[in-house]
Each structure stands twice: as structure tokens, then as C-alpha cells.
Amino acid sequence: MAVMVPESATNLKTEGEKRLFRLLRDALPDDFRVWYEPRIKSRYPDFVLLAPAFGLLLLEVKDWSAGKISGASSKTVQRGNESSKNPIEQARDYLLPLVNKLWQEKLLLHTSGPYRERPCFPWAYGAVFSEITRQQLDERDLSTIFPHDSVICKDELDALCANPEEGETLASLRRLFHMYFDFPPLSDEQMQTAQGVILPETKVKRELVQTSFALDTTADRIEMIRVLDRDQDCIARGIGDGHRIVNGVAGSGKTVLLQARARMLAKHDRNKRILFLCFNKALAASLRAELKDVSEQVEVYHFDSWLPSCWGLYKGDPESWPAYHTRIGEEAPDVVRDAPAEKKYDAILIDEAQDFELEWFKTCVQALRDPEHGDLLIAVDGAQSLYGRPKGSTWISVGVQARGRSRSLDRNYRNTRELLSFAWGLTQDTLQVADTETNVRVAPREVWRHGPPPKFFEASDEEDEKRAVVRELQRLQKLGISGSRIGILYAQDRGGRIHRLHRDLQEDGIELCWVREQNRDSFTSQPGVRLSTIKSAKGLEFSAVILVALDQLPDDRDTPEENINLLYVALTRAQEQLLMTWKGSSEFTERVRNHPDATRVQD
């Protein structure tokens, strides 16, 4: 069964489109991706198909009747007083700009032969007449305008739908390829890159990968486009209006799903006003950089900057943050509710919702132009909650109408299996707490990538710990990992320990970017290894993480749940490489030391 976006034919426009949708879904193998009306440069082709061993095909579907066609040419079709573009020509005009973009991706090009530097897979376009038979085309002398190798007619569609076999359907579709050729099946990296070209709103990021498909065979790494997976794509496209909740495990792509949703909303309607909120100031800076292509429509704030910037609700000079948060929880909903409609939003997307105080959601709901039915998408991971939430709390109590409208993401893409298994087992498996409706912990179900085991180093003193950090940075540099992809994380700077580490690393020639209050809005553009608190790193990810001063956790000022979740956040920032260091001992260092999946590092 093919992967269909959207997942059902409920909202398709015509009966012909619905019939073809069901045929493609039921008859094609599960490595096919099929998109209905994807937005391509302000145009909406009916169907786009892509598969590793098949290629790319674009189809236009027409429910025209033969009797209504009074004339046709290669360019236009006359139906009574109405003139339309020939659907074959229409499909061609949709597809050619895509092919030109595919040529710009080295990963998708032939490496040799007469087609060198052209797409390494075949592409085609065609039309489907759901109400015109092949005989009717012949009787009206239209077969030269709509030839057999460019059109699927009603009688052929009827036969395929009556017996939806994979082989017959593939043969009918492959007939539309005028220049089909044998080619090695596309790799996962090539499939994702092709999808990123076809549907740029599903693009997550560009990254270098090891591959044998590079044009320059002397290079072992080439750029690919990482895109949303099936579940993320379906949620982003098909989530619908109204209030919605996405519960997701760390690394499941909640943030990139919200980014994709923001792009889709912005590009679908240029007049929409969209707000993207999060808790962490550093994450807000990163999101602004990622969403700069839609910055005219999408405003990005962390919650504590949104209220003063947009609503004039400032923190008083002598006022503590807890007191401020309590006050705005009471005042802000009324202030925002009474504001004029032009200051409000058509859609609001909230990341890191587990760290929002519950009362804040009342303000978010009132910031919608339509508080009851407006587009509100909230992403939550209870396992990363650092500030607690009242037991028994509900969404309805703060005006979020999301009952029966939640989805879960339990597939992890960020971490290797070794790292995530270690992080979950060390922290979340030890918690004896019940989820609340507003803070659901999602256990990881699938992790595809493998990597080295997590490591730890027990230092005799601060100098010994610093030397271990330098050795690890030198090792990571030899692996080709750039400084900005490495995070040195810590829980707190007790006794000035991190200040001394920062000074000593700089003296050893290590380029550092210390993520602090004064640069949290601009650190993404600065070079160097990131030095950051765990809390400031929430929502971010690194190829490699060095978690230093682990002996300073747990913190007795926080609850056991908050401490465990903080450690879980730190461990899951690492995509592939993780080293933990300490110079003393604590409950958490003992847990790591005795964990069977952690490897001790010697001098």
C-alpha cells in the first residue's frame, strides 16, 4: 500500500480524483510516496508520485465527458464556450520546473555516461480521463491529441480499479514515461532529497552524508536534504483547523513538524498571521534563523519576550520571575482578549509546551482571532518537563479544546539506538510518576541509527576534567565534526567551575561560543564549540555532546522528577557522540558508573 498524503480521499474534489487516489493507494507498493495537490510555485498538480525503483510521475485528472469537447489542440481544449489548457501540456508545465530544480542537487545526478549531470532517475507526466474511453477519443479523432502513451482513459481506469493489481497498475503508469531507462534504485538519502525539492515545505535541513553517489568520486560526503517522515508529513498537512496536541518523544521531530506546519500555512495563504512560541530563548533564536524564509508572516518569540514586545506586559524591576509569571497568568488573558483583531493571529504553534505554566495557555487561546476554532498546535514531551505541572491538570481547564485531537510521535530520529536506550533507561525508566493530560511521556518505539556507546570519564580534579574535554574535542575534530556541532553542557556553575573551564579551554586555543543571556538571540551566527547550560540547550541538538560537572546533579533545590528530566534533556541533545565527565560523586554519577551500556574512558 502506497504512502498517501493526505491519508484519505475524503476532501478530494472530484469522483475521478477519488477513484485514482484509491487505486494508487491500494495497488502500488509501500515504497511509493503519493501527494495529492502539493503546492508547487502557487500551482496545485493533482498527483505527484515518487518511488525508488520507479521514478517521478505527475498526473492531471479530468472528469470531462467526450460529448462536451468541441475542439482540441496540443495546447488547448475547447468545451463549449470554455477554453482550458490541454491537461498533458498542463502536467508538463508543472513538472519541468521541478526537473530543473532536481538538476541542482548533485546527489540526484548521473555520475557518468551520456546523461552525466542530469537526473539519475526517469521522470514523466500524463493525464487521466475518468469519464472518456479510448474508443470515444478514437471516434472523435482526438487520439493524436491525447495519445495512448500520454493518457489513461476511463475503460483502462475501470479495469485497474476492478482488479487493483500491482503489476498491471505499474505497467499502465510506466507507459507514460517516454524516456524510461534502467537505473539503480534511489537510496533513502536520494529519496529524501528529491522530496525536499518537490515539496520544500517538508525540508528539515541540509546535511553532509557519506555516499557513493557523488559526482566528484574523490569526495566521500555530499549534501542531502533531510525531510519530514510519513507521520510528520501527514500530521503537518492533515492536522486541520482547531486546537490540536502532538505528544512526542525527544528527537521525534516535534520542532521540525511545527516549522513545516508554519511554512505550509504561510505559503497556502499569504495573508495569514502566524505566531511560533517556545519557552527557551536560545531555541527561539535558532527558530528565527530556520524560518527566515517566511519571516514576514511568521513571528517567533519565547514566551517571556512575547508578552512585553507585543502586549506591553513588562516585568517590574524589583519583581521576581516567579512573581511576574503568576501576575501575567492572571492579567494577560484579559489584556489580550480585549485587543483589536489586527493584533491577533490566525494560527499559533507552541513548542516546549511542557515548560509553559498552565495559565499561559489561556493567553495563547485569546491571542487567536477565533479563540474557539482558530489554528492552535501544541507540542509536548512530559519526559522533558523541567518546571513541573499540577497533577490532574487538563487542557480544557485553560481553554484548549483538544479532546480527541491529539497525535503521538514515538519514532526517534535524533539519537542513535545506543544513546537513546541509555538515556531512557538511566532516567525515565526510574521515575515512579503518573502522566497528566497536559504532560504525557511518550516512550520511544523506533530508533533506526546505530553509533558508539556513551562514555564517561572520572576526573581527579578540575584540571584532569579539562584535559579530558580537550582530548575529546581533538578526537571529534579528527572525525570532521565542526565546533558549532559540538555542545559542552552543564547544569550549573557552582563555585565558578564553568568559568574556570571556559578560561582554561580558551587558553588551550579552543574556540568557544558561550551561550549566555547577552548572546542568546545571536549565538547561531557565531563560530565555535557551544558552551551552554542544559536548560538553554533545550530544543537544540548537536552531533556530539560533552556533559561536564555531572557531580553537580541532582540539585536539591529541584524535585527528583525535575532533576531526572534535566539529565534526560542533556543526554538526548547528542545525535551520535556522548561523553560525561565529573570530578566528585553524586547519585547520578553512580548511576552512570554502574550502567552496563556506558563505557569508561581512561587517560
Side-chain angles (χ1 to χ4, degrees), residues 265-283:
L265 290 171
K267 292 181 178 180
H268 183 264
D269 184 347
R270 298 293 183 181
N271 295 316
K272 275 188 181 291
R273 189 162 184 244
I274 302 159
L275 173 67
F276 198 129
L277 282 178
C278 62
F279 183 83
N280 182 359
K281 189 173 185 179
L283 176 59

Side-chain angles (χ1 to χ4, degrees), residues 73-109:
S73 70
S74 62
K75 298 294 184 182
T76 61
V77 176
Q78 195 71 31
R79 295 181 298 128
N81 295 325
E82 183 180 349
S83 180
S84 305
K85 181 172 280 191
N86 184 315
I88 300 173
E89 182 75 5
Q90 183 180 6
R92 177 181 178 275
D93 287 348
Y94 286 162
L95 186 60
L96 288 183
L98 283 182
V99 175
N100 289 334
K101 285 190 173 183
L102 294 171
W103 281 0
Q104 299 173 26
E105 300 294 332
K106 289 186 177 182
L107 189 62
L108 302 179
L109 304 183

Side-chain angles (χ1 to χ4, degrees), residues 228 231-240 257 260-261 264 377:
L228 301 178
D231 293 343
Q232 296 165 334
D233 195 5
C234 287
I235 290 174
R237 290 180 184 282
I239 200 163
L257 186 154
R261 179 68 174 168
M264 290 175 189
L377 180 57

